Amino acid sequence: MSEIAINGVRRRVLSGMRPTGRLHLGNYMGALYNWVRLQDEYECYFFIADLHALTTDYAEPGNLKEKSFQVALDFLSAGLDPAKSVIFRQSDVAAHSELHVLFSMFTPLGWLERVPTYKDQQEQLREKELNTYGFLGYPLLQSADILLYQPDFVPVGQDQVAHVELTREVARRFNQLYSSKPTPKVAAAESDKERIKAEVSDNALVAEVLPEPKVLLTPSPKLPGIDGRKMSKSYGNTIMLSDPPDEVRKKLKTMVTDPARVRRTDPGDPDVCPVGDLHKVFSTAEVMAKVYDGCTTAGIGCIECKGWAADSIIREIEPIQARRREYEATPESVHAVLLEGAERARARAQVTMNEVRRVIGLG
């Protein structure tokens, strides 16, 4: 049985991204690059998680609408196709919030407190008041985001597997509590053979309202920022997808390199150099060969190596930026994509919510 399709029907994939404004290379290689390829094989739902942005920035949401629009621009510029994928804003589909509330009724607090990123982010964001239910419950909102569309797979990196496992636990508990089967006919059976037949029939009729999604591990290459740490807006070390060539070159010139290369004549090692990591992601095999030969023999300086990395990055993002300019010239087309995506997402979400309400006994 194909992992991509069953009986000719494409299997479903869902993922989302918080709107923090324009996206950087880390966002692209960590998610968007893979999403663009998935849409040719799966039925895809990709959303802008604007409600999630409020879990940490509720006091200063800033221009959340504009940030969401910028993310939508980058989604489309990177190659997400509204003819192949459903692209929408989370807050445009009210069922996300409704299902989250229903899940909160039966999810133990301990499940949320043990999510690895809960305490990690509290440590990293000490300047913010995060002793709120919204922050504690954001993994549960993620579970609602996912299960609302009953996807077969959730594409994530290794660091997000725990969130999907929580979603699977939530689905399992929901199904145990509310998925029901017809009243057994076992008592009326006149023989052991009939009783066994009735038990098999009844068990076969048990329907999982919320199937447990599987993790679809996607490759996420090591992509350092210009200071050598993980590329992140919070570190101020990013190269944006929309940065013009001159800005890319300017940022690369300041990037940290192999600390062993104190002098121009010192040999280096691309495998321990952040610039080398960028080459591995964006440069051709021919350029990589020049990097390894020149760096390990001190035949080239770091400035020259950084220039080659800039060339490779600019070549990668050039078509993305060309598409972005087209969409920026017609912002109404971006809004139209989000409106149509919301309609399609609401229709699919309604299918799930009708069954959820029915088995719980609401409406």
Side-chain angles (χ1 to χ4, degrees):
M1 184 179 294
S2 171
E3 285 289 288
I4 296 175
I6 300 178
N7 297 327
V9 178
R10 291 198 302 176
R11 306 186 82 173
R12 189 175 300 129
V13 159
L14 175 131
S15 194
M17 191 180 294
R18 285 170 58 141
T20 57
R22 297 187 180 213
L23 302 181
H24 54 71
L25 286 179
N27 302 133
Y28 176 63
M29 294 308 305
L32 272 177
Y33 180 84
N34 291 311
W35 292 2
V36 171
R37 281 141 191 81
L38 290 173
Q39 67 181 351
D40 290 324
E41 301 177 338
Y42 296 91
E43 177 191 353
C44 292
Y45 286 73
F46 297 123
F47 67 95
I48 299 166
D50 50 354
L51 292 176
H52 280 291
L54 297 174
T55 58
T56 54
D57 297 328
Y58 62 88
E60 296 179 355
N63 194 341
L64 188 53
K65 192 172 182 179
E66 174 60 22
K67 289 178 180 178
S68 296
F69 180 76
Q70 292 299 325
V71 172
L73 272 174
D74 281 326
F75 275 12
L76 296 169
S77 303
L80 287 187
D81 185 347
K84 299 177 180 178
S85 300
V86 180
I87 304 167
F88 63 102
R89 275 185 303 249
Q90 179 190 27
S91 63
D92 285 338
V93 184
H96 285 258
S97 300
E98 181 183 358
L99 190 58
H100 176 214
V101 169
L102 296 177
F103 284 170
S104 71
M105 302 302 179
F106 62 77
T107 301
L109 287 177
W111 289 10
L112 303 177
E113 292 168 340
R114 72 170 187 242
V115 174
T117 53
Y118 174 60
K119 290 185 178 179
D120 289 345
Q121 284 207 354
Q122 278 189 322
E123 285 295 315
Q124 294 174 19
L125 303 173
R126 288 185 178 182
E127 73 281 3
K128 297 185 178 182
E129 174 51 60
L130 296 180
N131 189 29
T132 63
Y133 169 71
F135 182 70
L136 175 65
Y138 85 88
L140 194 59
L141 178 55
Q142 280 186 328
S143 296
D145 296 334
I146 295 168
L147 294 172
L148 187 59
Y149 300 94
Q150 300 178 326
D152 298 284
F153 300 106
V154 181
V156 294
Q158 188 63 49
D159 59 338
Q160 288 289 311
V161 170
H163 288 272
V164 181
E165 186 52 40
L166 172 67
T167 297
R168 289 169 57 83
E169 288 181 310
V170 170
R172 203 172 305 139
R173 184 167 175 83
F174 181 95
N175 291 329
Q176 288 170 347
L177 287 170
Y178 303 115
S179 294
S180 58
K181 56 187 178 183
T183 303
K185 304 180 183 65
V186 176
E190 296 180 356
S191 67
D192 289 340
K193 185 176 181 180
E194 289 177 339
R195 183 176 297 108
I196 292 171
K197 184 178 180 181
E199 288 175 348
V200 170
S201 176
D202 286 336
N203 287 330
L205 288 171
V206 175
E208 285 191 342
V209 176
L210 300 176
E212 296 178 31
K214 296 179 182 178
V215 164
L216 183 63
L217 280 175
T218 54
S220 182
K222 182 179 180 182
L223 203 69
I226 57 177
D227 61 358
R229 294 182 293 177
K230 177 181 178 181
M231 191 174 291
S232 170
K233 286 183 181 178
S234 60
Y235 295 150
N237 65 356
T238 60
I239 298 172
M240 309 304 289
L241 282 177
S242 53
D243 277 346
D246 287 349
E247 184 67 15
V248 173
R249 296 187 190 283
K250 180 180 177 182
K251 289 181 176 180
L252 260 293
K253 283 181 181 178
T254 66
M255 190 165 187
V256 298
T257 56
D258 179 359
R261 296 204 72 179
V262 178
R263 294 175 295 273
R264 166 67 175 77
T265 54
D266 293 331
D269 182 357
D271 290 330
V272 298
C273 176
V275 178
D277 290 330
L278 292 182
H279 275 296
K280 291 172 186 175
V281 176
F282 298 107
S283 293
T284 63
E286 181 183 1
V287 172
M288 283 300 302
K290 291 199 303 181
V291 168
Y292 272 93
D293 179 64
C295 183
T296 56
T297 63
I300 61 170
C302 292
I303 292 297
E304 187 173 6
C305 184
K306 290 176 180 179
W308 293 345
D311 291 340
S312 298
I313 290 171
I314 291 167
R315 184 173 56 250
E316 178 75 23
I317 64 178
E318 197 170 41
I320 296 174
Q321 293 184 350
R323 285 192 293 268
R324 193 180 220 279
R325 287 190 291 270
E326 292 178 5
Y327 282 113
E328 285 177 330
T330 57
E332 65 279 2
S333 67
V334 180
H335 291 299
V337 167
L338 294 176
L339 286 173
E340 181 187 0
E343 288 182 9
R344 294 170 65 188
R346 282 194 292 266
R348 184 59 193 78
Q350 191 62 44
V351 174
T352 301
M353 291 310 301
N354 286 345
E355 188 63 9
V356 166
R357 294 188 193 106
R358 184 188 68 79
V359 297
I360 291 179
L362 296 172

